[in-house]
Amino acid sequence: MSKTDTTDTTDAPDATPAPGDEAAGADLSTAPREETIGGPTLGVVGWIRWFWRQLTSMRVALILLFLLSLGAVPGSLIPQSSADEMKVADFKKAHETLTPLYEKLQLFDVYSSVWFSAIYILLFVSLIGCIVPRTWQFVGQLRGLPPGAPKRLTRLPAYTTWRTEAAPEEVHEAALAVLKGRRFRARTAGDAVAAEKGYLREAGNLLFHLALIVMLVAFAWGQLFKSEGGKLVVEGDGFSNTLTQYDDFKSGSQFGVDELEPFNFTLDSFTGTYEKSGPQRGTPRTFEAAVTYTQGDGTDKKAVIRVNEPLKVGDSKIYLIAHGYAPVVTVRDGQGKIVYHGAVPLLPIDNNITSTGAIKVMDGYRDKNGDKEQLGFKAFFVPTFAGAGKGSMFSQFPALDFPVMALTGYHGSLRVDSGLPQNVYQLDTSKMTQFKVDGGTGVAQRMRPGDDMILPDGAGSITFEKEIKEWASFQVSQQPGNGLALSGAVAAIAGLTGSLFIQRRRIWVRAVRGEDGTTVVEMAGLGRSESAKLPEELADLAVALTAQAPQAPEPAEAEAEASEGVEK
């Protein structure tokens, strides 16, 4: 080849593009063309158009996307009412100065706040307003043909030329075959072949923005139709997926109770093992719940639920989120009649499952005079006690190696009939009198499995049975938008990959008969953006084309060959 030029000459004094050159480059863009509106002539309609153009610009869409991600930060750092109201209450008690400010800014309900919803809706509108015109323009370009060659191919960033003895028609035919073989859309336009490739770049760009809309829709769908509830289940007990069975339940504004998946399950057993030595001592190694579940009117099925391995029943997922102990106790009145017997779930307060709770005897108990009364006991339980005189009564290990329970008894009114909601794990002692007991501290007694605490004045007794059950806490959730969000995320990654790594470019091949009778072949390329691969691709295409239209010898070489032939 006689010339190969891959240098961008747009800054050179003579590099002013011809009109045809400008059109060829401008057509590569599918972005909406901006119109300049003069300030003094803006009216109401003009300002509306200006605002709409700003809102649907890529720059504003990126700003709104950044604000949306920035707005989610306080939702991750500050406890949210939709996730855990108890943590919100604890936070408010610990930060009395910040609480009024956070409440005004709706930082305890970030994802349902006015400002977060405004960003969300503006981003949604911006993306739609950006995608629709770009899509129509892209469809129009897909239906169109590659534009004809500019008048001066030498002005394009990648350029090469050579002479060949093949006729121009043969060169054009060979160029069409080579370009179509490389998956270019090609056609003959005048004295040149025009080809274009890389449409998937803009398709990837549109797919990315469409995927963002899908994820926004999935987020809104999930917030409106989601449901989430928690339930603590003791070994041997069961749960039915009805609203009254939940310990706590939250749902979206459009969720109906009749949409709860019909199923029930029984906690057969809970298995927990822990690291016994080393720096990770006490860390769970096995943490699983064996359950028997039934969906609708179906047959019983066995399953094991582990952390991050939920049980899926229909559209619901059952997650294992917590674990603890439920000592079995028996309460008798002064005549020895059993007035309470059962496992009492206690809530852990540290990683070694030191637990606290309450035992409430609300019905069936009568004092020594035969009057109805209620009993209450504050319970403090440790699965592994260090031993008397060895520090405070906190568990040393989460397994049941040396279980001890401390009980403090009360009698009177539990106030369960006051109409006010009570925490089942806390005891309201405002209308109760504390028992004085023998042993222990005089008001509380440490007990081992099998021990009894005798209440004074013939009030009865409480027995810490040798059986200690375990409980597991489950979260049952329905998130209808999760699958849609996952599809949107995968599509966004695919679209972003295409828009980043695929380059849209055009190639022109012009072949004209020269004065000396040989054909002058020119090849040039133009990309949507600067790329080092465009000159390489053009060189590769030129090599493939020269195999069909080989380079003719230079005039001096031709004369020398002719003279050699005469001499011979």
Side-chain angles (χ1 to χ4, degrees), residues 385-530:
F385 184 43
K390 296 183 179 179
S392 59
M393 186 177 169
F394 279 86
S395 180
Q396 306 300 305
F397 194 71
L400 289 171
D401 292 344
F402 187 18
V404 172
M405 181 168 60
L407 291 178
T408 304
Y410 298 83
H411 63 100
S413 173
L414 293 169
R415 301 191 67 190
V416 292
D417 300 324
S418 63
L420 299 175
Q422 282 192 359
N423 190 327
V424 296
Y425 304 103
Q426 295 179 350
L427 197 64
D428 183 355
T429 60
S430 60
K431 298 294 183 179
M432 306 191 80
T433 303
Q434 191 172 17
F435 283 116
K436 302 294 183 180
V437 298
D438 296 332
T441 62
V443 293
Q445 180 176 328
R446 280 201 299 258
M447 305 171 64
R448 291 274 292 138
D451 290 350
D452 296 322
M453 183 173 77
I454 306 302
L455 302 177
D457 301 327
S461 66
I462 180 170
T463 302
F464 180 10
E465 304 291 350
K466 293 184 178 181
E467 181 184 10
I468 300 176
K469 294 186 177 182
E470 301 190 48
W471 59 259
S473 182
F474 299 94
Q475 177 180 292
V476 182
S477 64
Q478 287 183 237
Q479 297 286 349
N482 284 352
L484 191 62
L486 178 60
S487 301
V490 173
I493 294 174
L496 186 61
T497 302
S499 64
L500 290 177
F501 296 102
I502 298 176
Q503 182 189 13
R504 190 173 173 191
R505 63 274 194 199
R506 287 173 177 163
I507 300 293
W508 292 277
V509 181
R510 174 175 287 146
V512 295
R513 184 74 69 178
E515 296 179 356
D516 57 356
T518 60
T519 299
V520 179
V521 182
E522 291 181 295
M523 289 188 70
L526 177 66
R528 184 172 182 176
S529 59
E530 293 294 333

Side-chain angles (χ1 to χ4, degrees), residues 137-308:
Q137 291 185 17
F138 180 59
V139 170
Q141 291 186 7
L142 285 178
R143 297 175 61 184
L145 297 174
K151 292 182 179 180
R152 299 181 182 180
L153 295 178
T154 55
R155 297 185 183 276
L156 299 183
Y159 174 81
T160 186
T161 182
W162 72 93
R163 293 175 178 272
T164 182
E165 294 180 350
E169 294 78 10
E170 295 177 352
V171 175
H172 290 163
E173 185 178 350
L176 281 172
V178 170
L179 291 168
K180 289 182 178 179
R182 303 293 178 91
R183 298 189 300 278
F184 278 85
R185 293 176 59 198
R187 71 181 181 100
T188 302
D191 61 349
V193 172
E196 191 168 8
K197 189 178 182 180
Y199 288 95
L200 289 180
R201 177 186 178 91
E202 183 61 22
N205 192 18
L206 293 174
L207 177 62
F208 173 74
H209 291 86
L210 184 62
L212 291 182
I213 294 179
V214 170
M215 287 190 289
L216 290 175
V217 170
F219 177 80
W221 185 269
Q223 291 297 312
L224 291 174
F225 294 94
K226 73 175 183 179
S227 69
E228 187 176 276
K231 178 63 178 180
L232 185 150
V233 183
V234 179
E235 286 178 324
D237 291 346
F239 166 78
S240 180
N241 192 29
T242 58
L243 188 61
T244 56
Q245 288 277 298
Y246 282 98
D247 296 331
D248 58 85
F249 184 84
K250 297 180 182 298
S251 64
S253 58
Q254 300 300 314
F255 182 83
V257 177
D258 56 344
E259 297 178 32
L260 288 172
E261 194 73 31
F263 70 86
N264 59 78
F265 69 85
T266 300
L267 176 60
D268 299 327
S269 63
F270 181 88
T271 303
T273 61
Y274 308 89
E275 190 68 38
K276 292 185 176 296
S277 61
Q280 300 297 321
R281 184 177 185 270
T283 302
R285 299 190 59 171
T286 304
F287 205 74
E288 58 187 32
V291 300
T292 300
Y293 72 97
T294 304
Q295 182 177 4
D297 298 328
T299 58
D300 291 346
K301 298 179 181 179
K302 299 286 186 179
V304 176
I305 306 175
R306 300 180 179 88
V307 177
N308 297 326

